Amino acid sequence: HVIAFDEPTNYLDFQTVNSLAKAIKLFKGGTIVVTHNQDFLKETCDEIWNVEDGRVSIEGKDGALKSLAAKNAAAKAEKAKQKME
C-alpha cells in the first residue's frame, strides 16, 4: 500500500502536524509526501527527492546526496539476491 500526501501540513496546528507525522511513521506501507515543510519531511521520510528545473536529486535524512544511479544499482542487486533465495 502507498499513500500520497500533497501539502499535508497546510492549515494544521503544531499538535496535529506532530500526530500526522507519528501516524505516517507507524504506517507499514510506502508514503509519498509533497511539501515545503522541511522539518516535516525530515521527521517522516527516509530520503528526500528534490525536483527542480527538470532534475531530481536524492538526499538522505542526514542531507547527504545520493545518486540515482547508485539507487538503481542497489535495487538491481536486491532483486538478484531475492531471486537466489
Side-chain angles (χ1 to χ4, degrees):
H1 297 97
V2 176
I3 298 177
F5 296 92
D6 184 10
E7 296 292 350
T9 61
N10 284 0
Y11 310 111
L12 299 181
D13 62 30
F14 183 75
Q15 289 176 322
T16 306
V17 169
N18 286 340
S19 294
L20 178 59
K22 187 181 291 187
I24 288 173
K25 288 190 286 187
L26 291 172
F27 180 64
K28 300 284 188 217
T31 57
I32 300 168
V33 180
V34 178
T35 185
H36 292 90
N37 186 331
Q38 294 295 318
D39 292 332
F40 186 78
L41 284 175
K42 289 179 182 175
E43 181 69 23
T44 58
C45 300
D46 292 330
E47 59 185 30
I48 299 170
W49 292 43
N50 293 304
V51 180
E52 188 173 354
D53 297 328
R55 296 191 178 272
V56 176
S57 64
I58 304 169
E59 62 183 63
K61 277 189 167 192
D62 60 358
L65 287 177
K66 298 179 176 183
S67 74
L68 191 53
K71 186 165 184 60
N72 288 339
K76 274 186 176 181
E78 182 62 29
K79 271 189 178 179
K81 180 180 172 185
Q82 289 176 354
K83 283 183 181 180
M84 305 239 345
E85 293 176 348

